[in-house]
Amino acid sequence: MRIDQTGTRQHGTEPGLLEVSDLRAGYGATLILEGVSFTVPPRGRLALLGRNGVGKTTTLATLVGQTTRHGGSVRVDGVELGSLSSSARAAAGLGYVPQTRDVFKSLTVEENLITGLKGRPRGALEEAYSLFPRLGERRRNGGGELSGGEQQMLSVARALLGQPTVLLLDEPLEGLAPVICDQLMDALSKLEMTVILVEQQIDRALAFADRVVFLDRGRVAHAGPADGAAADSALLERHLGVSLAA
Ligand SMILES: Nc1ncnc2c1ncn2[C@@H]1O[C@H](COP(=O)(O)OP(=O)(O)O)[C@@H](O)[C@H]1O
Ligand SMILES: [Mg+2]
């Protein structure tokens, strides 16, 4: 399905086309993004990388309408999101898993998931439990009783219940043990939607993605294929100040 300029869903074209053009945004009068452009095709997987403070989180937050926009355009399946509210952006297809993991600590796992249903029947919760069986085992536990990995699974599962066509993930692996990172990346690799992944674990991000964009001080410093970047230690060194272990 596709949504045209009037918000009508059209059949026949695969959804999930994200077009970001000359995006300028920040916090109040402070400009952080100084003209960011990239396109992700339906089901495309983009790794959005760069050193601390270059604007990765600001980019994702701008896509979902949580910053001050100064100019440029964001389109999902041809729909300009410019002046839309956060809920209208979700309806246009955006799903967001913020760096802070928005788990409600006072609600159970299941109650947290229900907040993501957006009017869908309760039976849809089984989608979450099938993607992350651990959440099924923990469904009556409080959000505050979960491990970091379980919280991240819950945050991802909740976003997925809204049936996004474009999923934005901000450092989902942060603070997780390697075995949990493996489990989470396995689950993410099964998703059939457009994904932007911001991650510090460069090797995992580049293995997951098909394209990569490196940001530097609010601008795109490099864009290209992910496998090429993974093999180019000089490129990684230049944009991240790190190199992958041989
Ligand atoms: N709420 C905010 N108010 C003002 N400046 C912010 C805010 N959040 C982030 N910044 C600034 O925006 C810049 C980019 O930050 P961010 O997008 O979080 O970077 P990254 O995610 O790449 O580490 C940094 O200079 C940061 O200090
Ligand atoms: Mg960040």
Side-chain angles (χ1 to χ4, degrees), residues 18 20 23 25 27 33 38 56-69 74-76 81-99 102 118 159 164 166-170 196:
L18 175 68
V20 176
L23 192 59
Y27 304 94
L33 305 182
F38 56 82
K56 304 180 298 292
T57 293
T58 303
T59 300
L60 299 191
T62 299
L63 297 184
V64 295
Q66 296 182 358
T67 66
T68 310
R69 206 173 59 99
V74 176
R75 288 169 176 248
V76 173
L81 303 187
S83 56
L84 296 184
S85 67
S86 287
S87 62
R89 286 163 194 260
L94 290 184
Y96 182 36
V97 180
Q99 200 166 358
D102 54 350
K118 309 240 174 75
V166 178
L167 182 66
L168 312 174
L169 299 165
D170 199 346
I196 300 184

Side-chain angles (χ1 to χ4, degrees), residues 27 30 32 50-59 99 170-171 198 200:
Y27 304 94
T30 308
I32 303 292
R51 291 179 170 86
N52 265 335
V54 295
K56 304 180 298 292
T57 293
T58 303
T59 300
Q99 200 166 358
D170 199 346
E171 299 201 21
V198 171
Q200 299 289 344

